Coordinates of all heavy atoms in Angstrom, one line a residue:
M153 N 0.8 -1.1 0.0 CA -0.1 -0.1 0.0 C 0.9 1.3 0.1 O 0.4 2.2 -0.5 CB -0.9 0.0 1.3 CG -1.9 -1.2 1.2 SD -2.9 -1.3 -0.1 CE -4.3 -0.3 0.6
D154 N 2.1 1.3 0.7 CA 2.8 2.3 0.6 C 3.4 2.8 -0.7 O 3.8 3.9 -0.8 CB 4.2 2.1 1.7 CG 3.6 2.0 3.1 OD1 2.6 2.5 3.4 OD2 4.3 1.2 3.8
R155 N 3.5 1.9 -1.6 CA 4.0 2.2 -2.9 C 3.1 2.9 -3.8 O 3.4 3.4 -4.9 CB 4.6 1.1 -3.5 CG 3.9 -0.3 -3.6 CD 4.5 -1.4 -4.1 NE 3.4 -2.3 -4.5 CZ 3.4 -3.5 -5.1 NH1 4.6 -3.9 -5.3 NH2 2.4 -4.1 -5.3
F156 N 1.9 3.0 -3.5 CA 0.7 3.7 -4.3 C 0.4 5.0 -3.7 O 0.4 5.2 -2.5 CB -0.6 2.8 -4.3 CG -0.4 1.5 -4.9 CD1 -0.5 0.4 -4.3 CD2 -0.3 1.5 -6.4 CE1 -0.4 -0.8 -4.9 CE2 -0.3 0.3 -7.1 CZ -0.2 -0.9 -6.3
A157 N 0.4 6.0 -4.6 CA -0.1 7.4 -4.2 C -1.5 7.3 -4.0 O -2.2 6.4 -4.5 CB 0.4 8.3 -5.3
E158 N -2.1 8.3 -3.4 CA -3.4 8.4 -3.0 C -4.3 8.4 -4.4 O -5.3 7.8 -4.4 CB -3.7 9.6 -2.2 CG -5.1 9.8 -1.7 CD -5.4 10.9 -0.8 OE1 -4.4 11.5 -0.4 OE2 -6.7 11.2 -0.7
D159 N -4.0 9.1 -5.3 CA -4.7 9.2 -6.6 C -4.6 7.9 -7.4 O -5.7 7.4 -7.9 CB -4.3 10.3 -7.5 CG -2.8 10.2 -7.9 OD1 -2.1 9.7 -7.1 OD2 -2.6 10.6 -9.0
E160 N -3.6 7.1 -7.3 CA -3.5 5.7 -7.8 C -4.5 4.8 -7.0 O -5.2 3.9 -7.6 CB -2.1 5.3 -7.8 CG -1.2 5.9 -8.7 CD 0.2 5.5 -8.5 OE1 0.7 5.2 -7.4 OE2 0.9 5.3 -9.5
M161 N -4.5 4.9 -5.8 CA -5.5 4.1 -5.0 C -6.8 4.4 -5.3 O -7.7 3.5 -5.4 CB -5.3 4.3 -3.4 CG -3.9 3.7 -2.8 SD -4.0 1.9 -3.1 CE -5.2 1.5 -2.0
I162 N -7.2 5.6 -5.5 CA -8.6 6.0 -5.8 C -9.0 5.4 -7.2 O -10.0 5.0 -7.4 CB -8.7 7.6 -5.9 CG1 -8.7 8.1 -4.6 CG2 -10.1 8.0 -6.6 CD1 -8.5 9.5 -4.5
R163 N -8.0 5.5 -8.2 CA -8.2 4.8 -9.5 C -8.4 3.3 -9.4 O -9.2 2.7 -10.1 CB -7.1 5.1 -10.5 CG -7.2 6.5 -11.0 CD -6.3 6.7 -12.3 NE -5.8 8.1 -12.1 CZ -4.5 8.5 -12.0 NH1 -3.6 7.7 -12.0 NH2 -4.3 9.7 -12.0
L164 N -7.6 2.7 -8.5 CA -7.7 1.2 -8.4 C -9.0 0.8 -7.7 O -9.7 -0.1 -8.2 CB -6.5 0.7 -7.6 CG -5.2 0.7 -8.2 CD1 -4.1 0.3 -7.1 CD2 -5.2 -0.3 -9.4
L165 N -9.4 1.6 -6.8 CA -10.7 1.4 -6.2 C -11.9 1.5 -7.1 O -12.8 0.8 -7.1 CB -10.9 2.0 -4.9 CG -10.1 1.8 -3.7 CD1 -10.2 2.7 -2.6 CD2 -10.6 0.2 -3.1
A166 N -11.9 2.6 -7.8 CA -12.8 3.0 -8.9 C -13.0 1.8 -9.9 O -14.0 1.3 -10.2 CB -12.6 4.2 -9.6
Y167 N -11.8 1.2 -10.4 CA -11.7 0.2 -11.3 C -12.4 -1.0 -10.7 O -13.1 -1.8 -11.3 CB -10.2 -0.1 -11.7 CG -10.1 -1.2 -12.8 CD1 -10.2 -0.9 -14.0 CD2 -9.9 -2.5 -12.3 CE1 -10.1 -2.1 -15.0 CE2 -9.9 -3.6 -13.1 CZ -9.9 -3.3 -14.6 OH -9.8 -4.4 -15.4
Q168 N -11.9 -1.3 -9.5 CA -12.5 -2.6 -8.8 C -14.0 -2.4 -8.6 O -14.6 -3.4 -8.7 CB -11.8 -2.7 -7.5 CG -12.2 -4.0 -6.7 CD -11.2 -4.4 -5.5 OE1 -10.1 -4.1 -5.7 NE2 -11.8 -4.7 -4.5
N169 N -14.6 -1.4 -8.3 CA -15.9 -1.1 -8.1 C -16.6 -1.3 -9.5 O -17.8 -1.8 -9.4 CB -16.2 0.2 -7.5 CG -15.8 0.4 -6.1 OD1 -15.8 -0.6 -5.4 ND2 -15.7 1.6 -5.6
L170 N -16.1 -0.9 -10.6 CA -16.7 -1.0 -11.9 C -16.6 -2.5 -12.5 O -17.5 -3.1 -13.0 CB -16.1 -0.1 -12.8 CG -16.5 1.4 -12.7 CD1 -15.8 2.2 -13.6 CD2 -17.9 1.7 -13.0
Y171 N -15.4 -3.1 -12.4 CA -15.1 -4.3 -13.0 C -14.8 -5.5 -12.2 O -14.4 -6.4 -12.8 CB -13.9 -3.9 -14.0 CG -14.1 -2.9 -15.0 CD1 -13.5 -1.7 -14.9 CD2 -15.0 -3.1 -16.0 CE1 -13.7 -0.7 -15.7 CE2 -15.3 -2.0 -16.9 CZ -14.6 -0.7 -16.8 OH -14.8 0.2 -17.6
G172 N -14.8 -5.4 -11.0 CA -14.6 -6.5 -10.1 C -13.2 -6.5 -9.5 O -12.5 -5.6 -9.6
P173 N -12.9 -7.6 -8.7 CA -11.7 -7.5 -7.8 C -10.4 -7.5 -8.7 O -10.5 -8.1 -9.8 CB -11.8 -8.7 -7.0 CG -12.8 -9.6 -7.6 CD -13.7 -8.7 -8.3
I174 N -9.4 -6.9 -8.1 CA -8.1 -7.0 -8.7 C -7.2 -8.1 -8.1 O -7.3 -8.2 -6.9 CB -7.4 -5.6 -8.7 CG1 -8.3 -4.5 -9.3 CG2 -6.0 -5.6 -9.3 CD1 -7.9 -3.1 -9.0
G175 N -6.6 -8.8 -8.8 CA -5.7 -9.8 -8.2 C -6.2 -11.3 -8.5 O -7.0 -11.4 -9.4
P176 N -5.8 -12.2 -7.6 CA -6.1 -13.6 -7.8 C -7.6 -13.9 -7.8 O -8.2 -14.8 -8.4 CB -5.5 -14.3 -6.8 CG -4.4 -13.5 -6.4 CD -4.9 -12.1 -6.6
Q177 N -8.4 -13.0 -7.0 CA -9.9 -13.2 -6.9 C -10.6 -13.0 -8.2 O -11.6 -13.4 -8.3 CB -10.4 -12.4 -5.8 CG -10.2 -12.8 -4.4 CD -10.9 -11.8 -3.4 OE1 -10.9 -10.6 -3.6 NE2 -11.6 -12.3 -2.5
R178 N -9.9 -12.2 -9.1 CA -10.7 -11.8 -10.2 C -11.0 -13.0 -11.1 O -12.0 -13.1 -11.7 CB -9.6 -10.9 -11.1 CG -10.3 -10.6 -12.4 CD -9.9 -9.1 -12.8 NE -10.5 -8.8 -14.0 CZ -11.7 -8.1 -14.2 NH1 -12.5 -7.8 -13.1 NH2 -12.2 -7.9 -15.3
M179 N -10.2 -14.0 -11.3 CA -10.5 -15.3 -12.0 C -11.6 -16.1 -11.3 O -12.3 -16.6 -12.0 CB -9.2 -16.0 -12.3 CG -8.1 -15.5 -13.1 SD -8.7 -14.7 -14.7 CE -9.2 -16.1 -15.5
D180 N -11.6 -16.0 -10.1 CA -12.7 -16.7 -9.5 C -14.0 -16.0 -9.8 O -15.2 -16.7 -9.9 CB -12.6 -16.9 -7.8 CG -11.4 -17.8 -7.5 OD1 -11.0 -18.5 -8.4 OD2 -10.9 -17.6 -6.3
T181 N -13.9 -14.7 -9.7 CA -15.2 -14.0 -10.0 C -15.7 -14.2 -11.5 O -16.8 -14.3 -11.7 CB -14.9 -12.5 -9.8 OG1 -14.5 -12.2 -8.4 CG2 -16.2 -11.5 -10.0
V182 N -14.7 -14.2 -12.4 CA -15.0 -14.3 -13.9 C -15.6 -15.8 -14.0 O -16.5 -16.0 -14.8 CB -13.8 -14.2 -14.7 CG1 -13.9 -14.6 -16.2 CG2 -13.2 -12.7 -14.7
A183 N -14.9 -16.8 -13.3 CA -15.5 -18.1 -13.4 C -16.9 -18.2 -13.0 O -17.8 -18.9 -13.4 CB -14.5 -19.1 -12.9
A184 N -17.1 -17.5 -11.7 CA -18.6 -17.7 -11.1 C -19.6 -17.0 -12.1 O -20.7 -17.4 -12.3 CB -18.5 -16.9 -9.9
R185 N -19.2 -15.8 -12.7 CA -20.1 -15.2 -13.6 C -20.4 -16.1 -14.8 O -21.5 -16.1 -15.4 CB -19.5 -13.8 -14.1 CG -19.5 -12.7 -13.1 CD -20.9 -12.3 -12.9 NE -21.7 -12.0 -14.1 CZ -23.0 -11.9 -14.1 NH1 -23.7 -11.9 -13.1 NH2 -23.7 -11.7 -15.2
L186 N -19.3 -16.8 -15.4 CA -19.5 -17.6 -16.5 C -20.4 -18.7 -16.1 O -21.3 -19.2 -16.9 CB -18.2 -18.2 -17.0 CG -18.3 -19.1 -18.1 CD1 -18.8 -18.4 -19.4 CD2 -16.8 -19.6 -18.4
G187 N -20.2 -19.3 -14.9 CA -21.1 -20.5 -14.4 C -22.6 -19.9 -14.3 O -23.5 -20.7 -14.7
M188 N -22.8 -18.8 -13.8 CA -24.2 -18.2 -13.9 C -24.8 -18.1 -15.3 O -26.0 -18.4 -15.3 CB -24.1 -17.0 -13.2 CG -23.9 -16.9 -11.6 SD -23.8 -15.1 -11.1 CE -25.3 -14.5 -11.5
D189 N -24.0 -17.6 -16.2 CA -24.6 -17.5 -17.6 C -24.8 -18.8 -18.2 O -25.6 -18.9 -18.9 CB -23.5 -16.7 -18.4 CG -23.4 -15.2 -17.9 OD1 -24.3 -14.7 -17.2 OD2 -22.3 -14.6 -18.3
I190 N -24.0 -19.8 -17.8 CA -24.3 -21.2 -18.5 C -25.4 -21.8 -17.8 O -26.4 -22.5 -18.5 CB -23.0 -22.0 -18.2 CG1 -21.9 -21.6 -19.2 CG2 -23.3 -23.5 -18.5 CD1 -20.6 -22.2 -18.9
A191 N -25.6 -21.7 -16.5 CA -26.8 -22.2 -15.8 C -28.1 -21.6 -16.0 O -29.1 -22.3 -15.9 CB -26.4 -22.2 -14.2
A192 N -28.2 -20.3 -16.4 CA -29.5 -19.5 -16.4 C -30.4 -20.1 -17.4 O -31.6 -20.2 -17.0 CB -29.0 -18.0 -16.8
P193 N -30.0 -20.5 -18.6 CA -31.1 -21.1 -19.5 C -31.6 -22.3 -19.1 O -32.6 -22.7 -19.6 CB -30.3 -21.1 -20.8 CG -28.9 -20.6 -20.7 CD -28.8 -20.3 -19.3
H194 N -30.8 -23.1 -18.2 CA -31.4 -24.4 -17.7 C -32.2 -24.4 -16.5 O -32.6 -25.5 -16.0 CB -30.1 -25.4 -17.6 CG -29.3 -25.3 -18.8 ND1 -29.7 -26.1 -20.1 CD2 -28.2 -24.8 -19.3 CE1 -28.8 -25.9 -20.9 NE2 -27.9 -25.1 -20.5
M195 N -32.4 -23.2 -16.0 CA -33.2 -23.1 -14.7 C -34.7 -23.0 -15.0 O -35.1 -22.6 -16.2 CB -32.7 -22.0 -13.9 CG -31.1 -22.2 -13.5 SD -30.7 -21.0 -12.3 CE -31.4 -21.6 -10.8
K196 N -35.5 -23.3 -14.0 CA -36.9 -23.3 -14.1 C -37.3 -21.8 -14.4 O -36.5 -20.9 -14.0 CB -37.6 -23.8 -12.9 CG -37.5 -25.2 -12.6 CD -38.2 -25.6 -11.4 CE -38.1 -27.2 -11.1 NZ -38.7 -27.6 -10.0
K197 N -38.5 -21.5 -15.1 CA -38.9 -20.1 -15.3 C -39.0 -19.5 -14.0 O -39.6 -19.8 -12.9 CB -40.2 -20.1 -15.9 CG -40.1 -20.5 -17.4 CD -41.4 -20.2 -18.1 CE -41.1 -20.3 -19.6 NZ -42.1 -19.7 -20.4
G198 N -38.5 -18.2 -14.0 CA -38.7 -17.3 -12.7 C -37.5 -17.5 -11.8 O -37.4 -16.7 -10.9
K199 N -36.6 -18.6 -12.1 CA -35.5 -18.7 -11.1 C -34.3 -18.1 -11.9 O -34.2 -18.2 -12.9 CB -35.3 -20.2 -10.9 CG -36.2 -20.9 -10.1 CD -36.2 -20.8 -8.7 CE -37.4 -21.6 -8.0 NZ -37.1 -21.5 -6.5
K200 N -33.4 -17.6 -11.0 CA -32.2 -17.0 -11.6 C -31.0 -17.7 -10.7 O -31.1 -17.9 -9.4 CB -32.2 -15.5 -11.3 CG -33.2 -14.7 -12.1 CD -32.9 -13.3 -11.9 CE -33.8 -12.6 -12.8 NZ -33.7 -11.1 -12.7
P201 N -29.9 -17.9 -11.3 CA -28.8 -18.5 -10.6 C -28.2 -17.4 -9.6 O -28.3 -16.2 -9.8 CB -27.7 -18.7 -11.7 CG -28.2 -18.0 -12.9 CD -29.6 -17.8 -12.7
K202 N -27.6 -17.9 -8.5 CA -27.1 -17.0 -7.5 C -25.5 -17.0 -7.7 O -25.0 -17.9 -7.8 CB -27.5 -17.4 -6.2 CG -28.9 -17.3 -6.0 CD -29.3 -17.8 -4.5 CE -30.7 -17.8 -4.3 NZ -31.3 -18.4 -3.0
F203 N -25.1 -15.9 -7.7 CA -23.5 -15.6 -7.7 C -22.8 -16.5 -6.6 O -21.9 -17.1 -7.0 CB -23.2 -14.1 -7.6 CG -21.7 -13.9 -7.7 CD1 -21.1 -13.9 -8.9 CD2 -21.0 -13.5 -6.6 CE1 -19.7 -13.7 -9.1 CE2 -19.6 -13.4 -6.7 CZ -19.0 -13.3 -7.9
K204 N -23.3 -16.4 -5.5 CA -22.5 -17.1 -4.4 C -22.5 -18.6 -4.5 O -21.7 -19.3 -4.1 CB -23.2 -16.8 -3.0 CG -24.6 -17.2 -2.7 CD -25.0 -16.9 -1.4 CE -26.4 -17.6 -1.1 NZ -26.8 -17.8 0.1
D205 N -23.5 -19.2 -5.4 CA -23.6 -20.6 -5.5 C -22.5 -21.0 -6.6 O -22.1 -22.1 -6.6 CB -25.0 -21.0 -6.0 CG -26.0 -20.9 -5.0 OD1 -25.7 -20.9 -3.8 OD2 -27.2 -20.8 -5.4
H206 N -22.1 -20.0 -7.3 CA -20.9 -20.4 -8.3 C -19.6 -19.9 -7.9 O -18.6 -20.1 -8.6 CB -21.3 -19.8 -9.7 CG -22.6 -20.1 -10.2 ND1 -22.6 -21.4 -11.0 CD2 -23.9 -19.9 -10.1 CE1 -23.9 -21.7 -11.4 NE2 -24.6 -20.8 -10.8
L207 N -19.5 -19.2 -6.8 CA -18.2 -18.7 -6.5 C -17.4 -19.8 -5.6 O -17.9 -20.2 -4.5 CB -18.3 -17.5 -5.6 CG -17.0 -16.7 -5.3 CD1 -16.4 -16.1 -6.5 CD2 -17.5 -15.4 -4.4
I208 N -16.2 -20.0 -5.9 CA -15.5 -21.0 -5.2 C -15.1 -20.4 -3.8 O -14.4 -19.3 -3.8 CB -14.2 -21.4 -6.0 CG1 -14.7 -22.2 -7.3 CG2 -13.4 -22.4 -5.1 CD1 -13.5 -22.5 -8.2
E209 N -15.2 -21.0 -2.7 CA -14.7 -20.6 -1.4 C -13.5 -21.4 -1.1 O -13.6 -22.7 -0.8 CB -15.8 -20.8 -0.4 CG -17.0 -19.9 -0.7 CD -18.2 -20.3 0.4 OE1 -18.0 -21.1 1.3 OE2 -19.2 -19.6 0.2
W210 N -12.3 -20.8 -1.0 CA -11.1 -21.4 -0.7 C -10.7 -21.7 0.7 O -10.1 -22.5 1.2 CB -9.9 -20.8 -1.4 CG -10.1 -20.7 -2.9 CD1 -10.5 -19.6 -3.7 CD2 -9.8 -21.9 -3.7 NE1 -10.5 -20.0 -5.0 CE2 -10.1 -21.3 -5.1 CE3 -9.3 -23.1 -3.6 CZ2 -9.9 -22.1 -6.3 CZ3 -9.1 -23.8 -4.7 CH2 -9.5 -23.5 -6.0
S211 N -11.3 -20.8 1.5 CA -11.1 -20.9 3.0 C -12.0 -21.9 3.6 O -13.3 -21.9 3.4 CB -11.3 -19.6 3.6 OG -11.3 -19.6 5.0
R212 N -11.5 -22.8 4.5 CA -12.4 -23.7 5.3 C -13.3 -22.9 6.2 O -14.4 -23.3 6.5 CB -11.6 -24.6 6.0 CG -10.8 -25.7 5.1 CD -10.1 -26.7 6.0 NE -9.4 -27.6 5.1 CZ -9.7 -28.9 5.1 NH1 -10.6 -29.4 5.9 NH2 -9.0 -29.7 4.2
K213 N -12.8 -21.8 6.7 CA -13.5 -21.0 7.7 C -14.8 -20.3 7.0 O -15.8 -20.1 7.5 CB -12.8 -19.9 8.3 CG -11.7 -20.4 9.2 CD -10.8 -19.2 9.7 CE -9.7 -19.8 10.6 NZ -8.9 -18.8 11.1
A214 N -14.7 -20.2 5.6 CA -15.9 -19.5 4.9 C -17.0 -20.6 4.7 O -18.2 -20.2 4.5 CB -15.4 -19.2 3.5
R215 N -16.7 -21.9 4.7 CA -17.7 -22.8 4.6 C -18.5 -23.2 5.9 O -17.7 -23.2 6.9 CB -17.1 -24.2 4.1 CG -16.8 -24.0 2.6 CD -16.2 -25.4 2.1 NE -14.8 -25.2 1.9 CZ -14.0 -26.1 2.0 NH1 -14.3 -27.3 2.3 NH2 -12.6 -25.9 1.7
P216 N -19.7 -23.3 6.0 CA -20.4 -23.7 7.2 C -20.0 -25.2 7.6 O -19.9 -26.0 6.9 CB -21.9 -23.6 6.8 CG -22.0 -23.8 5.3 CD -20.7 -23.2 4.9
Q217 N -19.9 -25.3 8.9 CA -19.6 -26.6 9.5 C -20.8 -27.5 9.5 O -21.8 -27.0 9.7 CB -19.0 -26.4 10.9 CG -17.6 -25.7 11.1 CD -16.6 -26.7 10.6 OE1 -16.7 -27.8 10.6 NE2 -15.5 -26.1 10.3
R218 N -20.6 -28.6 9.0 CA -21.7 -29.7 9.1 C -21.4 -30.8 10.1 O -20.3 -31.1 10.3 CB -21.7 -30.4 7.7 CG -22.2 -29.5 6.6 CD -22.5 -30.4 5.4 NE -22.8 -29.5 4.2 CZ -23.1 -29.9 3.0 NH1 -23.1 -31.4 2.9 NH2 -23.4 -29.2 2.1
S219 N -22.5 -31.2 10.6 CA -22.4 -32.3 11.6 C -22.2 -33.7 10.9 O -22.5 -33.7 9.7 CB -23.6 -32.3 12.6 OG -24.8 -32.7 11.8
G220 N -21.9 -34.6 11.6 CA -21.8 -35.9 11.0 C -23.1 -36.4 10.5 O -23.3 -37.0 9.4
R221 N -24.2 -36.1 11.2 CA -25.5 -36.5 10.7 C -25.9 -35.8 9.4 O -26.5 -36.3 8.5 CB -26.5 -36.1 11.7 CG -26.4 -37.0 13.0 CD -27.5 -36.6 14.1 NE -27.1 -37.1 15.4 CZ -27.7 -38.3 15.8 NH1 -28.4 -39.0 15.2 NH2 -27.2 -38.7 17.1
E222 N -25.5 -34.5 9.3 CA -25.9 -33.8 8.0 C -25.0 -34.4 6.8 O -25.6 -34.5 5.8 CB -25.5 -32.3 8.2 CG -26.4 -31.6 9.2 CD -25.9 -30.2 9.5 OE1 -24.8 -29.9 9.5 OE2 -26.7 -29.3 9.6
L223 N -23.8 -34.7 7.1 CA -22.9 -35.3 6.1 C -23.5 -36.6 5.6 O -23.5 -37.1 4.5 CB -21.5 -35.5 6.5 CG -20.8 -34.2 6.7 CD1 -19.4 -34.3 7.2 CD2 -20.5 -33.5 5.3
L224 N -23.9 -37.5 6.6 CA -24.5 -38.8 6.4 C -25.8 -38.5 5.5 O -26.0 -39.3 4.5 CB -24.8 -39.5 7.6 CG -25.3 -40.9 7.4 CD1 -24.5 -41.8 6.7 CD2 -25.6 -41.5 8.8
A225 N -26.7 -37.6 5.9 CA -27.9 -37.4 5.2 C -27.6 -37.0 3.6 O -28.3 -37.4 2.8 CB -28.7 -36.3 5.8
A226 N -26.6 -36.1 3.5 CA -26.1 -35.8 2.1 C -25.7 -37.0 1.3 O -26.1 -37.1 0.2 CB -25.1 -34.8 2.2
V227 N -24.9 -37.8 1.8 CA -24.5 -39.1 1.3 C -25.6 -40.0 0.9 O -25.7 -40.5 -0.2 CB -23.4 -39.7 2.0 CG1 -23.0 -41.1 1.5 CG2 -22.2 -38.8 2.1
R228 N -26.6 -40.1 1.8 CA -27.7 -41.0 1.6 C -28.5 -40.4 0.5 O -29.1 -41.2 -0.5 CB -28.5 -41.1 2.9 CG -27.9 -42.0 3.7 CD -28.7 -42.3 5.1 NE -28.2 -43.2 5.9 CZ -28.4 -43.4 7.2 NH1 -29.3 -42.6 7.7 NH2 -27.8 -44.3 7.8
G229 N -28.7 -39.1 0.5 CA -29.5 -38.5 -0.8 C -28.8 -38.7 -2.0 O -29.5 -38.9 -3.0
I230 N -27.4 -38.6 -2.1 CA -26.8 -38.7 -3.3 C -26.9 -40.3 -3.8 O -27.3 -40.6 -5.0 CB -25.3 -38.5 -3.2 CG1 -25.1 -36.9 -3.0 CG2 -24.5 -39.0 -4.5 CD1 -23.7 -36.6 -2.6
Q231 N -26.8 -41.3 -2.8 CA -26.9 -42.7 -3.0 C -28.3 -42.9 -3.6 O -28.6 -43.8 -4.6 CB -26.6 -43.4 -1.8 CG -26.7 -44.9 -2.1 CD -25.6 -45.4 -3.0 OE1 -24.5 -44.9 -3.2 NE2 -26.0 -46.4 -3.9
A232 N -29.4 -42.4 -2.9 CA -30.8 -42.6 -3.4 C -30.9 -42.1 -4.7 O -31.7 -42.8 -5.5 CB -31.8 -41.8 -2.4
G233 N -30.3 -41.0 -5.1 CA -30.4 -40.4 -6.6 C -29.9 -41.5 -7.5 O -30.3 -41.8 -8.6
F234 N -28.7 -42.0 -7.2 CA -28.0 -43.1 -8.1 C -28.9 -44.3 -8.2 O -29.1 -44.9 -9.2 CB -26.7 -43.5 -7.6 CG -25.6 -42.5 -7.8 CD1 -24.8 -42.0 -6.7 CD2 -25.4 -41.9 -8.9 CE1 -23.8 -41.1 -7.0 CE2 -24.4 -41.0 -9.4 CZ -23.6 -40.5 -8.3
E235 N -29.5 -44.8 -7.1 CA -30.2 -46.0 -7.0 C -31.7 -45.7 -7.8 O -31.9 -46.7 -8.7 CB -30.7 -46.4 -5.6 CG -29.5 -47.0 -4.8 CD -29.8 -47.2 -3.5 OE1 -30.9 -46.9 -3.0 OE2 -28.8 -47.6 -2.8
K236 N -32.1 -44.6 -7.8 CA -33.3 -44.3 -8.6 C -33.1 -44.3 -10.0 O -33.8 -44.8 -10.9 CB -33.9 -42.9 -8.2 CG -35.2 -42.5 -8.9 CD -35.6 -41.2 -8.6 CE -36.3 -41.1 -7.3 NZ -36.9 -39.7 -7.1
K237 N -31.9 -43.8 -10.4 CA -31.5 -43.7 -11.7 C -31.2 -45.0 -12.4 O -31.5 -45.4 -13.4 CB -30.2 -42.8 -11.9 CG -29.8 -42.4 -13.3 CD -28.6 -41.5 -13.2 CE -28.2 -41.1 -14.8 NZ -27.0 -40.3 -14.7
S238 N -30.6 -45.9 -11.6 CA -30.3 -47.3 -12.1 C -31.6 -48.1 -12.1 O -31.6 -49.0 -13.0 CB -29.3 -48.0 -11.2 OG -29.8 -48.1 -9.9
T239 N -32.6 -47.8 -11.4 CA -33.8 -48.7 -11.4 C -34.6 -48.3 -12.7 O -35.4 -49.1 -13.1 CB -34.7 -48.6 -10.2 OG1 -35.0 -47.2 -9.9 CG2 -33.9 -49.2 -9.0
R240 N -34.5 -47.1 -13.2 CA -35.1 -46.6 -14.3 C -34.5 -47.0 -15.5 O -35.0 -46.7 -16.7 CB -35.2 -45.0 -14.4 CG -36.2 -44.4 -13.3 CD -36.4 -43.1 -13.6 NE -35.0 -42.4 -13.3 CZ -34.8 -41.0 -13.3 NH1 -35.9 -40.2 -13.4 NH2 -33.6 -40.6 -13.1
G241 N -33.3 -47.8 -15.5 CA -32.7 -48.2 -16.6 C -31.7 -47.1 -17.2 O -31.4 -47.2 -18.4
G242 N -31.3 -46.2 -16.4 CA -30.4 -45.1 -16.9 C -29.0 -45.3 -16.5 O -28.3 -44.6 -16.2
G243 N -28.6 -46.6 -16.6 CA -27.3 -47.0 -16.4 C -26.3 -46.4 -17.4 O -25.1 -46.2 -16.9
G244 N -26.6 -46.1 -18.6 CA -25.9 -45.4 -19.5 C -24.8 -46.3 -20.2 O -23.9 -45.9 -20.9
R245 N -25.0 -47.7 -20.0 CA -24.0 -48.5 -20.7 C -24.5 -49.3 -21.8 O -25.6 -49.5 -22.0 CB -23.4 -49.5 -19.7 CG -22.5 -48.8 -18.6 CD -22.0 -49.9 -17.7 NE -21.4 -49.1 -16.7 CZ -20.6 -49.6 -15.8 NH1 -20.1 -50.8 -15.9 NH2 -20.1 -48.9 -14.7

C-alpha cells in the first residue's frame, strides 16, 4: 500500500468497483459469472442463478460446518439418486 499514491489508490478502487476485484480473486469472479451465464437458460422459469452458488470458497472458515448427521444425510441423498437412476434403466452402458 505504501508504494501507491493516493490518486492511484482512488483509480484502483474505482476500477475494482466497476469491473470486479483486482488480483487472484478476479479469475474466481470471472468463472462464477460464466457459471451463472451457463446455468441461467437451464433453470426453471422465474429462477435465477445466484452468484454465491458459483463462487469457489477457498477458505475452510468460509464454509459452514456440518455435523456428522448432516454429512450422512447428504451421502444418503446422493446414493438414493443413483439408485433411482439405475432402477429406471439409466445405467448409461
Side-chain angles (χ1 to χ4, degrees):
M153 299 299 266
D154 291 337
R155 45 185 201 178
F156 292 108
E158 186 176 342
D159 60 326
E160 291 174 320
M161 286 298 293
I162 292 170
R163 280 193 212 118
L164 287 173
L165 287 172
Y167 180 89
Q168 184 167 317
N169 289 338
L170 287 172
Y171 302 110
I174 300 170
Q177 281 183 318
R178 180 146 179 88
M179 293 311 292
D180 290 348
T181 303
V182 169
R185 285 290 316 164
L186 181 61
M188 287 176 59
D189 293 342
I190 290 171
H194 302 286
M195 297 188 75
K196 292 181 182 178
K197 283 194 173 192
K199 297 276 186 174
K200 291 184 178 179
K202 296 179 183 172
F203 179 74
K204 68 176 184 161
D205 293 338
H206 296 274
L207 188 62
I208 298 171
E209 295 175 1
W210 295 101
S211 170
R212 288 182 183 245
K213 292 179 184 177
R215 287 184 248 154
Q217 291 288 335
R218 292 190 187 179
S219 69
R221 292 177 197 264
E222 290 172 323
L223 292 172
L224 182 60
V227 170
R228 284 183 175 157
I230 293 168
Q231 184 64 35
F234 284 130
E235 289 172 358
K236 184 187 282 187
K237 190 175 183 180
S238 66
T239 58
R240 288 188 299 188
R245 292 182 193 200

